[in-house]
Amino acid sequence: MTDQRLRHIADLLTLKADGQYGLNAVNQRQHALQAAWLAERQGCPDALITASLLHDIGHLVHDLGDNPAEAGVDDLHEERGHTFLSGMFGPEVTEPVRLHVAAKRYLCATEANYFGKLSTDSVLSLSLQGGPMSAEEVAAFDALPQAAAAVQLRRFDEQAKVRALETPPVEYFLPYVARCLVPE
Ligand code: FE
């Protein structure tokens, strides 16, 4: 692996992802790997597998602690992640990452039983993030080119919190990431 960008991403997921994922029974690395694995097993394109793996990288590039939402702080990790990834990937990767919090607010507004599927910390952060979308916000979200991919990513995100679930390691997913990198 010679690409420095790939090395940096691998290092973040390998060395900096031991922090607990919110209030859940998995750490950040397990959560990322479970999300990517769900995407792979559903036959998603490289970009969505990569976005699933990296959707919470914004939590790994700040120093606000593992669960700032508990203290009432929105770490804006979707924006931090988008900023971090923007020079490296196209919108097929960066937009679902940027929109995965909005997708939660979207699904809460459009699916009757979705709110009940949220974990405790997702409910906690939902209010910090603005609550369910209004009808106008739903319409604007639907019009975005990556809306469907963001919703799909959100569903993987919600499921990727299973204690002690074995997944392939970080290295296994790096070829998907490498194929999505834009030329330097
Ligand atoms: Fe997540």
Side-chain angles (χ1 to χ4, degrees):
M1 182 170 43
T2 52
D3 194 300
Q4 287 305 309
R5 300 169 298 176
L6 197 58
R7 185 73 262 159
H8 187 195
I9 286 168
D11 283 350
L12 283 173
L13 288 172
T14 306
L15 306 173
K16 279 209 72 185
D18 288 316
Q20 199 185 354
Y21 177 64
L23 305 176
N24 301 281
V26 293
N27 65 30
Q28 291 283 349
R29 178 171 47 256
Q30 291 167 319
H31 176 63
L33 292 172
Q34 288 184 21
W37 204 34
L38 285 160
E40 190 202 41
R41 282 180 298 165
Q42 292 216 359
C44 293
D46 291 352
L48 192 49
I49 296 169
T50 299
S52 298
L53 183 73
L54 304 179
H55 76 277
D56 278 339
I57 201 124
H59 284 311
L60 305 182
V61 294
H62 67 61
D63 296 313
L64 299 172
D66 288 344
N67 193 17
E70 216 169 19
V73 174
D74 183 352
D75 67 2
L76 300 174
H77 72 283
E78 70 278 21
E79 296 293 343
R80 291 177 197 271
H82 179 261
T83 301
F84 174 77
L85 298 171
S86 278
M88 298 186 253
F89 301 98
E92 303 78 15
V93 173
T94 61
E95 280 296 282
V97 172
R98 185 176 73 84
L99 296 171
H100 81 276
V101 169
K104 174 172 71 171
R105 299 183 54 229
Y106 172 88
L107 284 165
C108 284
T110 56
E111 273 186 21
N113 58 359
Y114 185 78
F115 181 81
K117 295 182 195 162
L118 294 178
S119 59
T120 309
D121 58 327
S122 271
V123 172
L124 187 66
S125 56
L126 176 67
S127 55
L128 290 173
Q129 292 157 344
M133 282 185 172
S134 66
E136 293 74 24
E137 288 173 317
V138 165
F141 185 86
D142 272 328
L144 298 170
Q146 299 294 334
V151 166
Q152 243 186 319
L153 167 49
R154 186 71 218 183
R155 295 190 196 281
F156 301 145
D157 187 3
E158 231 59 72
Q159 293 172 60
K161 303 175 181 180
V162 181
R163 180 199 296 266
L165 178 72
E166 289 282 342
T167 66
V170 171
E171 299 73 51
Y172 173 85
F173 293 103
L174 294 182
Y176 292 108
V177 179
R179 284 195 287 277
C180 294
L181 285 167
V182 296
E184 273 188 292

